[in-house]
Amino acid sequence: MKKVKRLVLPLLAALLTAAGAAGPYMTSAIQDARVAGKSETWAVDPVNLTLNSGAVQETLRLLAGSTSELEWSGNTNLTSEEAGSAAEEALRLMEESGLVTLVPAVMPDDGGYVPVYTEPRLIMSMDESNLSAVVWICCVESMPGNWIFIDDETGKMVRTFLFVTDAGQIVNQADSSWTQDPEQTFKTAEQWRVFLSEYYDMEMLFHESEQKNDNYSNVFNLNFDRGTVRLEFVWDGDVYFNS
């Protein structure tokens, strides 16, 4: 009897040891069986990118800050032709307001300006990670080398580079020497303020003005409900809006 007890204890210890060693394998086998009969969904946080939802004020505020941009190949609200037409319309309104004088390239068929370049870009704020917008960069034949940026959601101009060329060619200020006359400079700035207020259908007010020490340009900041845009007149007649 004693001999049997002596054999039972080592045998029981051996069984427990074997069970302990097999435990991980058994657990793994059970888990494998569960996985084989069950699919799992892993949640991955998406890129936090919120495109402008239609308020031109947001796009103006975006472009007035520090930005980066990428080529955009996704869906757009406007077609290339519609973006070009929006740029033409902005130019036409600026001409009616006396801000620019155009010598347009006219198509015989429709009598309109000819868009020669449009490209959508994704503009992203470097200050606010969730502020982005798709903006069309447009150049029309009536203003080669000049750029109109069109907001894809609203079709509104949100940035402009207007470069004066030789008289009688493409685009001219009525008097390219106006930047040398402070009184005329303020009159021109007021013309732009009125035009922009009407164009965006919102009040824009002067915040402050600055004449650079080198007399290279005059800078005006215009406040609106959600931010501030920049209007710069260069001594040779070039104009930069919201750049």
Side-chain angles (χ1 to χ4, degrees):
M1 188 71 177
K2 291 182 179 180
K3 184 175 181 182
V4 171
K5 289 182 179 180
R6 291 193 190 101
L7 291 174
V8 168
L9 291 176
L11 180 60
L12 180 60
L15 289 173
L16 291 175
T17 300
Y25 297 101
M26 293 174 66
T27 300
S28 178
I30 293 172
Q31 289 177 341
D32 289 343
R34 287 179 178 176
V35 170
K38 177 182 177 181
S39 61
E40 295 188 21
T41 302
W42 295 83
V44 179
D45 292 333
V47 175
N48 188 17
L49 178 63
T50 303
L51 295 178
N52 177 27
S53 60
V56 70
Q57 293 94 331
E58 292 299 312
T59 308
L60 287 170
R61 183 166 64 89
L62 166 66
L63 292 182
S66 299
T67 62
S68 60
E69 64 180 64
L70 296 171
E71 293 182 2
W72 179 254
S73 58
N75 294 331
T76 58
N77 185 56
L78 301 177
T79 65
S80 177
E81 292 76 14
E82 289 170 338
S85 295
E88 295 164 10
E89 176 65 7
L91 289 173
R92 185 186 66 80
L93 294 173
M94 283 189 281
E95 184 179 33
E96 285 185 356
S97 299
L99 300 176
V100 296
T101 302
L102 302 177
V103 180
V106 178
M107 286 290 288
D109 294 339
D110 56 16
Y113 301 130
V114 184
V116 295
Y117 176 85
T118 57
E119 180 182 352
R121 292 292 182 93
L122 174 64
I123 310 294
M124 299 168 289
S125 172
M126 298 181 68
D127 304 315
E128 301 180 54
S129 60
N130 65 339
L131 183 59
S132 304
V134 175
V135 174
W136 290 84
I137 302 175
C138 304
C139 174
V140 298
E141 190 170 345
S142 56
M143 296 182 66
N146 295 265
W147 304 96
I148 306 292
F149 290 61
I150 298 295
D151 177 32
D152 182 62
E153 285 291 331
T154 63
K156 288 290 188 179
M157 172 187 71
V158 287
R159 175 180 284 173
T160 309
F161 298 96
L162 301 176
F163 303 106
V164 174
T165 61
D166 293 337
Q169 289 187 2
I170 308 300
V171 58
N172 298 279
Q173 291 287 349
D175 179 5
S176 62
S177 64
W178 51 262
T179 52
Q180 304 300 313
D181 180 353
E183 182 177 354
Q184 183 60 43
T185 299
F186 279 97
K187 286 182 179 179
T188 304
E190 174 63 13
Q191 280 183 281
W192 273 91
R193 187 196 68 78
V194 171
F195 165 75
L196 293 171
S197 295
E198 293 177 351
Y199 180 73
Y200 296 118
D201 193 24
M202 64 181 181
E203 188 174 31
M204 286 196 164
L205 300 173
F206 289 125
H207 173 61
E208 61 180 289
S209 63
E210 169 193 352
Q211 185 167 2
K212 296 183 178 179
N213 294 332
D214 59 4
N215 292 321
Y216 175 73
S217 67
N218 292 275
V219 177
F220 296 84
N221 293 318
L222 296 172
N223 287 346
F224 58 99
D225 185 45
R226 298 188 186 180
T228 300
V229 293
R230 173 187 171 98
L231 185 63
E232 182 175 4
F233 303 118
V234 183
W235 67 269
D236 61 0
D238 295 347
V239 179
Y240 306 137
F241 167 64
N242 207 25
S243 62

